[in-house]
């Protein structure tokens, strides 16, 4: 199963990921991404991968 990971040191709080998959990503009070869930169901994979690609600073990644 694929998982999603974040690099909170790189995140700049653009929230593109939240707009694309708000059940997987949120932004905390400091403007940094929070992972709401890390395991990606196969049926959700395309949507989560799109959210990961939408990050302008590449703070997210999908790992096998």
């Amino acid at each position: 199963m694929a998982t999603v990971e974040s690099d909170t040191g790189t995140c700049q709080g653009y929230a593109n990921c939240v707009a694309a998959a708000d059940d997987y990503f949120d932004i905390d009070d400091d403007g940094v991404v929070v992972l709401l869930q890390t395991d990606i169901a196969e049926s959700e994979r395309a949507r989560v991968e799109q959210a990961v690609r939408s990050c302008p600073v590449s703070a997210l990644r999908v790992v096998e």
Side-chain angles (χ1 to χ4, degrees):
M1 175 181 286
T3 61
V4 65
E5 295 179 348
S6 66
D7 179 350
T8 57
T10 301
C11 179
Q12 295 183 12
Y14 287 98
N16 294 2
C17 57
V18 177
D22 65 355
D23 52 335
Y24 280 84
F25 308 100
D26 199 2
I27 300 293
D28 69 13
D29 292 338
D30 294 323
V32 176
V33 68
V34 175
L35 298 177
L36 302 176
Q37 52 184 322
T38 58
D39 293 337
I40 305 169
E42 195 58 39
S43 61
E44 297 291 316
R45 186 168 180 147
R47 184 171 65 92
V48 174
E49 286 179 341
Q50 176 58 38
V52 167
R53 285 191 303 272
S54 75
C55 180
V57 296
S58 300
L60 303 167
R61 68 184 182 145
V62 173
V63 179
E64 292 299 324

